[in-house]
Amino acid sequence: MPAPIAHEAAVEARTAPPRTKPSNYPEPFASRVSRREKRPLGDLFGLKAFGVNLTRLLPGGVSALHHRHSLQDELVYVLEGEPTLVTDGGEQPLRPGMCAGFPANGTAHHLENRTERDVIVLEVGDRRAGDEVSYPQDDLQASLVEGKWRFLHKDGTPY
């Protein structure tokens, strides 16, 4: 996590440093999200209760593996481009100005960029301790332990 900015109250979001590690996922999953770039805006200001990412999806990129959180609520707001929202209920094209929200234990979801242009979205989620993530399409589960994600196979063995 970058050190919080103490002297500035505002920054140009697109110039914020990208996350140093592109993905927390273990392989073979990390490479599936290699066409995304996250700029952790909330971390810049030392925000503890919720996280905010400015996320860029290159053509062919996905925002995350198909997932749902046990405790975390999430919201995405489309700034540029036209991603496809994929949920357990189906698919929906999105455009700039649209948003989607996912309450804890709601439908599993992710975004895909199926276009030839970059997609830019703002992602907001809370940071509740003890959150767990399920991945219905993959042999993966995750738990937030002391501020870090721990990844396991669905049978409980570690990656």
Side-chain angles (χ1 to χ4, degrees), residues 24-100:
N24 292 323
Y25 295 133
E27 285 298 353
F29 307 108
S31 58
R32 289 173 43 193
V33 294
S34 65
R35 300 191 56 78
R36 75 173 186 199
E37 177 185 73
K38 289 183 178 270
R39 296 179 186 274
L41 304 179
D43 292 350
L44 286 176
F45 303 101
L47 302 183
K48 305 264 189 270
F50 62 95
V52 180
N53 292 311
L54 183 67
T55 300
R56 176 177 164 230
L57 301 178
L58 298 171
V62 298
S63 61
L65 300 177
H66 197 68
H67 72 285
R68 79 172 50 83
H69 288 266
S70 66
L71 299 176
Q72 182 185 127
D73 291 336
E74 292 182 278
L75 181 127
V76 295
Y77 181 85
V78 180
L79 297 166
E80 294 180 21
E82 297 182 354
T84 299
L85 171 62
V86 180
T87 69
D88 290 339
E91 298 182 358
Q92 179 180 358
L94 303 179
R95 63 184 181 283
M98 293 181 78
C99 61

Side-chain angles (χ1 to χ4, degrees), residues 78-142:
V78 180
L79 297 166
E80 294 180 21
E82 297 182 354
T84 299
L85 171 62
V86 180
T87 69
D88 290 339
E91 298 182 358
Q92 179 180 358
L94 303 179
R95 63 184 181 283
M98 293 181 78
C99 61
F102 309 99
N105 280 320
T107 186
H109 58 277
H110 71 278
L111 297 175
E112 296 182 2
N113 182 0
R114 299 175 180 171
T115 73
E116 297 301 317
R117 292 183 49 225
D118 287 357
V119 165
I120 309 286
V121 297
L122 195 64
E123 303 170 324
V124 180
D126 62 66
R127 297 178 174 184
R128 291 190 196 167
D131 188 25
E132 295 184 348
V133 184
S134 61
Y135 300 88
Q137 298 174 351
D138 295 293
D139 179 23
L140 186 68
Q141 61 183 347

